[in-house]
Amino acid sequence: MRIFISAVAAGVAALTSVAATAATDSTTPEELTVTATSLARVLQPVQVLEGAELLKRSAPTLGETLANEPGISSSYFGPASSRPIIRGLSGSRVLMLTDSSPTLDVADVSPDHAVTVEPLLADRVEIIRGPGTLLYGSSAAGGIVNVIDSRVPKAPAAAPIGGAVEVRGDTATEERTVVGRLDGGAGAFAWHVDAFTRSTENIDIPGFATADPADRDADEQEGTLKNSYSDSDGFAAGASWVGDRGYLGASVSRLESTYGLPGPKEEEGDPGEPELFEGPFLDLEQTRVDLRGEYALDNRVFETVRFTLGNNDYTHQEIEPSGEIATRFDNQQWQTRLELAHRSFAGFAGVVGVQLDDRDFSAVGEEAFVSATETQSYGLFLVEERDFDWGALNLAARVESLEHTNVEFARYDDNAFSLAAGAIINAGDSQEVVVNLSRTQRNPNAEELYSNGAHLATRLFEVGLLANGNSVSTEDSTNVELGLRRTQGDFTWDTSVYYYDIADYVYLDLTGAVVDDLPEAIYTQADAEFYGAEGAAEYRFSPVAGIQPTARVFGDFVRARLADGGLLPRIPPWRAGLTLGAAGADWESSIDVIHHGEQNDVSSFATDNFTLVNVNYVRRFNAFKTDWEVFGRINNLTDAEARRSASFLAAFAPLPGRTLTLGFRARFGGGNI
């Protein structure tokens, strides 16, 4: 707590001086860009979803929004909980950020825990890999998903007031969603507010929820995924003081979500205990406060300084059908970062910084499979770039000290050292060759160390590394990636091949024993290999009668095994897809055909192949001084049965059947969603 107070005091003191200077410079405010422009290439996301493309793919969860991007799958746990999986790596190996700050939730503790980010409020979504990931943590071997929003304004308002609203609904879940935001300001003062509400019913599915007829209950009904409803609401407000050389701002946000936990029917409880609900459900609340500031310095060494502080109060309760609270999870967490971008030195420009994290996690109740743990970490990082005639060289380093203190088991304390290098080589004809090398270390997280009980979301009795008395070491990953891309012209492409050699990889190993009527799974460390490829290519045909046709193909695969040849669980299958599109001056449409191969090269539930056909249409027009977008989408046009092999619920929860989504967006005064 003293570290937190000191961090707040230091940040407020530093940013108060920024605000004072910004106030004196605010006579003619203009849009500010203080991130070192010389780092634009090393920090450039490898994949971005924004604008019309984000509108076409947006879903209630971040995992499903990104699930059709090359190299990305989803941990699908129903319509309310889903994390992205990148190149077969999941959990804390994929870092989730909101406007370059961690989400501060417990989504990496269990697949049924929701990521506390609303995709429909995103300005854009970035996927980051390569040396730039070491800015934010050493654990993100898979990559980083950064959801950019405007809750803390970083530039003066474009108009005194502007806003946007979106309304949508669908047929498979009977979704009813309303999202809105307002932005405005005057002079150096800028403000932002947003809010959303979403309600869904049980999902319509093709066939039965339970894949194996032998596992189905006699009363299971065809066509519905029971207990898959959701009800979520949230709001946020932020304001900033913006000058020519910097800004100082803060925001507060609130999220409340209640959603059912689908899966096989639980064993009957006390016959005299009435069931008020159709199954267990989760009730989540999060209140978050963020403080941010940037300032352009005027000295020979440093170019800009940036400070961020996020503080989180998170609680969720897992509630039985009887209404009894089975488990309560609390997560009090904060993170603060200070970054300094330096001017060119020996041809290199870069960012150096420090990051402090503090997390107080507890779970109380009959399903508290992880005992209370306090986690503190300290990180130092450096990212550099130098331009050459042939391209650019990127270098990054990070050292991170982490300590877990658990109420039951031994304390864990270790350091993680990570290095990365990348090169972008000009290959002529608007082509670039990308080479990334890294050696990263990841400290195990709390659930990998201290799990010791029945985890009903995974249907396993989980035992952590230290709970089982095992020795523990960092997870060391040596990564090699080679890519070729062309970003200009009518014919563009982006392809990559990669190889990850991971020493002491942490995974759940089924022992064959049964504890408390659940299969026992022990967290184990063993060497593993991940390799694969992904790519996409798009061709813009010559316009015909004012219509621009396009064709895009993409595909990906990942193979993952233990060094001794053993299989790993929940690895995505190979995929191949084709998108045919057409666009006019005020409309665009597309059809996607995506084939997912069968996946039986895993130690978890094996899935059959399936093909999804999706159709999109967007129409734009202006009326009443407002810009309108009316959109329609049909997902899974053929009503195919589809199960994600990367999901813990693959055997019990297929994806929705044929779904028609209709909605509109309206923007005025330069507003945006």
Side-chain angles (χ1 to χ4, degrees), residues 18-220:
V18 172
T21 306
T24 63
D25 292 342
S26 63
T27 54
T28 56
E30 58 187 32
E31 184 171 354
L32 174 73
T33 303
V34 295
T35 300
T37 55
S38 55
L39 283 177
R41 298 179 79 178
V42 66
L43 301 182
Q44 182 178 4
V46 296
Q47 292 162 273
V48 177
L49 274 182
E50 59 184 341
E53 196 64 26
L54 180 57
L55 174 62
K56 289 191 295 184
R57 300 189 185 279
S58 58
T61 64
L62 200 54
E64 290 305 299
T65 297
L66 300 177
N68 288 333
E69 288 295 294
I72 302 178
S73 185
S74 165
S75 65
Y76 185 73
F77 206 95
S81 179
S82 178
R83 281 177 61 94
I85 294 173
I86 300 180
R87 295 177 172 177
L89 297 172
S90 59
S92 60
R93 299 181 186 93
V94 176
L95 186 59
M96 310 298 298
L97 303 178
T98 172
D99 204 5
S100 303
S101 184
T103 56
L104 303 177
D105 52 34
V106 296
D108 60 343
V109 174
S110 177
D112 62 322
H113 299 171
V115 178
T116 54
V117 172
E118 174 48 53
L120 295 186
L121 286 168
D123 295 333
R124 68 181 183 274
V125 182
E126 304 174 343
I127 295 92
I128 302 170
R129 291 195 295 270
T133 61
L134 294 187
L135 271 174
Y136 304 104
S138 60
S139 65
I144 290 172
V145 177
N146 190 17
V147 180
I148 304 299
D149 57 42
S150 303
R151 288 180 166 175
V152 178
K154 300 178 179 65
I161 187 170
V165 64
E166 176 176 328
V167 177
R168 65 166 59 199
D170 75 25
T171 57
T173 67
E174 299 182 36
E175 177 188 0
R176 299 170 296 280
T177 297
V178 180
V179 179
R181 65 182 279 180
L182 291 172
D183 298 274
F189 180 70
W191 55 267
H192 166 94
V193 295
D194 66 57
F196 80 93
T197 180
R198 174 186 295 111
S199 178
T200 67
E201 303 297 333
N202 287 340
I203 300 173
D204 292 340
I205 58 174
F208 289 95
T210 305
D212 188 344
D215 293 333
R216 290 178 195 151
D217 291 320
D219 59 351
E220 182 173 330

Side-chain angles (χ1 to χ4, degrees), residues 48 56 110 162 262 290 447 504 520 535 572 574 593 622 635 648:
V48 177
K56 289 191 295 184
S110 177
D290 286 278
E447 65 273 16
D504 296 316
E520 183 184 50
W574 67 269
V593 181
N622 183 275
N635 282 347
F648 272 95

Side-chain angles (χ1 to χ4, degrees), residues 411-435:
R411 181 173 62 92
Y412 175 88
D413 186 359
D414 205 350
N415 299 317
F417 300 90
S418 299
L419 297 170
I424 302 173
I425 304 168
N426 299 325
D429 193 23
S430 301
Q431 296 183 96
E432 294 178 331
V433 175
V434 180
V435 181

Side-chain angles (χ1 to χ4, degrees), residues 365-382:
E366 63 183 49
E367 297 168 17
F369 67 100
V370 183
S371 48
T373 306
E374 183 174 348
T375 301
Q376 293 182 329
S377 68
Y378 314 88
L380 297 173
F381 53 86
L382 174 69

Side-chain angles (χ1 to χ4, degrees), residues 450-630:
Y450 302 121
S451 293
N452 191 39
H455 188 186
L456 297 188
T458 62
R459 275 78 186 176
L460 298 172
F461 189 96
E462 298 180 10
V463 182
L465 291 163
L466 289 178
N468 196 39
N470 290 333
S471 61
V472 183
S473 63
T474 59
E475 186 179 273
D476 300 350
S477 181
T478 302
N479 306 332
V480 181
E481 178 181 3
L482 177 64
L484 177 65
R485 64 193 183 200
R486 186 173 191 261
T487 57
Q488 298 180 18
D490 290 333
F491 188 30
T492 58
W493 61 80
D494 191 345
T495 61
S496 297
V497 295
Y498 57 89
Y499 174 76
Y500 298 164
D501 184 5
I502 307 178
D504 296 316
Y505 179 79
V506 181
Y507 69 102
L508 274 171
D509 185 28
L510 291 170
T511 66
V514 176
V515 181
D516 288 350
D517 297 323
L518 292 171
E520 183 184 50
I522 295 179
Y523 278 100
T524 305
Q525 289 193 285
D527 296 345
E529 295 179 326
F530 286 67
Y531 65 91
E534 64 211 21
E538 181 173 289
Y539 187 77
R540 291 167 54 90
F541 296 92
S542 298
V544 178
I547 298 175
Q548 174 65 67
T550 58
R552 178 178 180 267
V553 295
F554 83 90
D556 57 24
F557 80 91
V558 57
R559 295 290 180 267
R561 284 196 178 244
L562 298 172
D564 63 6
L567 301 178
L568 287 169
R570 291 171 295 283
I571 302 299
W574 67 269
R575 294 183 299 179
L578 169 67
T579 299
L580 299 177
D586 54 9
W587 62 272
E588 63 180 271
S589 65
S590 64
I591 180 170
D592 302 323
V593 181
I594 306 171
H595 181 76
H596 300 243
E598 67 177 9
Q599 178 58 289
N600 52 24
D601 198 22
V602 288
S603 60
S604 53
F605 181 78
T607 54
D608 292 330
N609 64 73
F610 59 90
T611 301
L612 296 179
V613 180
N614 307 319
V615 180
N616 292 281
Y617 179 79
V618 180
R619 172 76 162 84
R620 304 180 185 88
F621 60 93
N622 183 275
F624 310 108
K625 297 182 180 180
T626 300
D627 295 321
W628 298 81
E629 287 180 308
V630 178

